[in-house]
């Protein structure tokens, strides 16, 4: 109750009433008021990073945060012209999307006042932002590498779909006649003598006295080949599994997706040492 009386007394002083009246007039002049309510810019930026599955809030440009802060709950943007201009600037200069003292937002709405930066929350100044430039550049490069890796994984998945389709046709062809050739990736080592093994059927030999643990067909021999995001080991080939004899037999090299032939399953790509293969 004592705190409440203090609060009421403070809001009834002449000084507070003058400040309140002035702020009311200033708010009425705003063309695009902020729509965050009690949520801060820093929290908004973190939420955007979580929504996009990013590893750091620094990967969110302050231009995006600024637009989110000026978008109402019913998705009405307070600055539609600014959205269009930002998109045009991002397209012509992608680097301007990265937060900085001369980024896209600064170029469009002007320089920030002393001691604050739009879209970053309180206690963030130009000086602090400049000092963090090396770390933010590193994060930006990491994001680009992750995008490239995601594209490579997508291409690998497409190749696996083609391979599994071929394996299904292989299983249907009981006699093995009129069997179409498997989808074979182009080898970057065209002059290598190992290219003669591409497309050949083979038996995979296990450890110890197990003998033949699976059968398959050579898919790639290039040392630059990638299997489940892992580079091809020295002396190994990429093999398409067509028949598994011992499901519990370990892979010649684990790839992070499977550790045994049974876990890999027919139609999968695995690495297998040339010396542990018998060609048919």
């Amino acid at each position: 109750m004592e705190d409440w009386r203090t609060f009421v007394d403070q809001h009834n002083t002449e000084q507070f009433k003058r400040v309140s009246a002035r702020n009311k007039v200033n708010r009425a002049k705003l063309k695009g008021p902020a729509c965050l309510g009690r949520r801060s810019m820093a929290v908004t930026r973190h939420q955007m990073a979580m929504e996009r599955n990013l590893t750091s809030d620094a990967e969110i440009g302050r231009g995006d945060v600024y637009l989110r802060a000026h978008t109402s709950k019913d998705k009405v943007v307070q600055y539609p012209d600014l959205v269009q201009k930002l998109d045009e600037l991002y397209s012509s200069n992608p680097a301007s999307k990265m937060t900085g003292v001369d980024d896209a937002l600064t170029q469009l709405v002007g320089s920030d006042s002393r001691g604050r930066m739009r879209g970053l929350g309180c206690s963030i100044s130009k000086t602090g932002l400049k000092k963090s430039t090396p770390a933010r550049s590193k994060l930006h490069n990491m994001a680009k590498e992750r995008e490239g890796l995601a594209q490579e994984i997508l291409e690998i998945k497409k190749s696996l779909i083609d391979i599994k389709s071929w394996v299904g046709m292989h299983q249907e062809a009981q006699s093995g006649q009129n069997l179409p050739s498997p989808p074979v990736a182009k080898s970057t080592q065209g002059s290598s003598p190992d290219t003669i093994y591409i497309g050949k059927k083979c038996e995979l030999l296990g450890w110890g006295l197990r003998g033949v643990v699976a059968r398959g067909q050579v898919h790639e021999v290039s040392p630059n080949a990638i299997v489940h995001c892992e580079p091809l080991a020295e002396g190994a080939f990429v093999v398409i599994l067509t028949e598994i004899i011992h499901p519990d037999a370990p892979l010649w090299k684990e790839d992070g997706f499977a550790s045994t032939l049974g876990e890999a399953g027919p139609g999968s790509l695995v690495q297998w040492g040339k010396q542990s293969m018998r060609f048919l």
Side-chain angles (χ1 to χ4, degrees):
M1 184 58 67
E2 183 180 353
D3 292 339
W4 173 251
R5 291 193 182 97
T6 302
F7 175 78
V8 172
D9 292 341
Q10 180 186 6
H11 282 63
N12 280 283
T13 61
E14 292 300 324
Q15 180 183 2
F16 182 86
K17 290 179 180 180
R18 287 195 302 270
V19 173
S20 180
R22 182 192 62 194
N23 291 341
K24 183 178 181 180
V25 174
N26 290 336
R27 286 195 298 270
K29 296 179 182 179
L30 291 175
K31 296 180 180 180
C35 305
L36 294 180
R38 294 177 179 272
R39 189 167 64 250
S40 68
M41 291 285 189
V43 172
T44 300
R45 194 182 194 195
H46 179 68
Q47 288 180 341
M48 294 177 68
M50 297 294 290
E51 291 171 2
R52 301 179 187 182
N53 295 321
L54 301 177
T55 57
S56 172
D57 297 356
E59 296 183 44
I60 300 292
R62 69 186 187 117
D64 293 342
V65 181
Y66 188 78
L67 291 179
R68 172 71 69 88
H70 292 84
T71 302
S72 62
K73 293 183 179 179
D74 53 357
K75 306 301 181 183
V76 176
V77 181
Q78 304 295 315
Y79 294 108
D81 294 340
L82 180 60
V83 175
Q84 182 179 357
K85 292 179 181 179
L86 276 174
D87 290 339
E88 294 174 354
L89 192 54
Y90 290 161
S91 300
S92 61
N93 183 16
S96 65
K97 191 171 185 178
M98 187 176 178
T99 299
V101 296
D102 57 350
D103 57 11
L105 186 63
T106 302
Q107 297 177 38
L108 294 177
V109 300
S111 180
D112 295 275
S113 59
R114 184 176 181 180
R116 65 183 293 272
M117 293 288 289
R118 299 182 186 92
L120 296 180
C122 61
S123 303
I124 304 296
S125 64
K126 294 181 181 179
T127 303
L129 193 62
K130 290 179 180 179
K131 291 181 179 179
S132 66
T133 298
R136 288 184 291 105
S137 299
K138 183 178 180 180
L139 287 172
H140 181 70
N141 294 334
M142 291 173 62
K144 289 295 184 181
E145 292 177 0
R146 186 166 60 248
E147 291 177 2
L149 181 60
Q151 183 62 32
E152 291 181 7
I153 293 175
L154 181 61
E155 294 176 357
I156 292 173
K157 287 182 177 179
K158 290 180 179 179
S159 299
L160 286 176
I161 292 175
D162 294 337
I163 293 168
K164 289 183 178 179
S165 176
W166 174 85
V167 171
M169 297 172 63
H170 180 280
Q171 293 174 342
E172 293 178 0
Q174 298 179 356
S175 62
Q177 297 178 353
N178 300 323
L179 184 66
S181 300
V184 177
K186 294 182 179 180
S187 175
T188 56
Q189 301 292 329
S191 60
S192 172
D194 287 337
T195 56
I196 62 174
Y197 294 104
I198 295 179
K200 282 194 174 185
K201 297 180 180 180
C202 58
E203 293 179 335
L204 307 183
L205 305 179
W207 310 109
L209 302 176
R210 286 198 174 199
V212 179
V213 294
R215 294 185 177 89
Q217 192 163 8
V218 178
H219 175 65
E220 179 60 279
V221 298
S222 169
N224 297 324
I226 301 294
V227 181
H228 295 166
C229 303
E230 290 288 335
L232 192 62
E234 184 178 358
F237 290 166
V238 182
V239 178
I240 307 170
L241 294 177
T242 55
E243 180 185 357
I244 297 176
I245 301 174
H246 293 287
D248 61 334
L251 296 180
W252 187 82
K253 179 183 178 183
E254 295 186 14
D255 52 22
F257 288 81
S259 58
T260 64
L261 289 170
E263 291 178 358
S268 299
L269 292 176
V270 297
Q271 296 192 40
W272 212 270
K274 178 181 178 182
Q275 300 300 324
S276 299
M277 299 167 60
R278 183 187 300 159
F279 300 98
L280 304 177

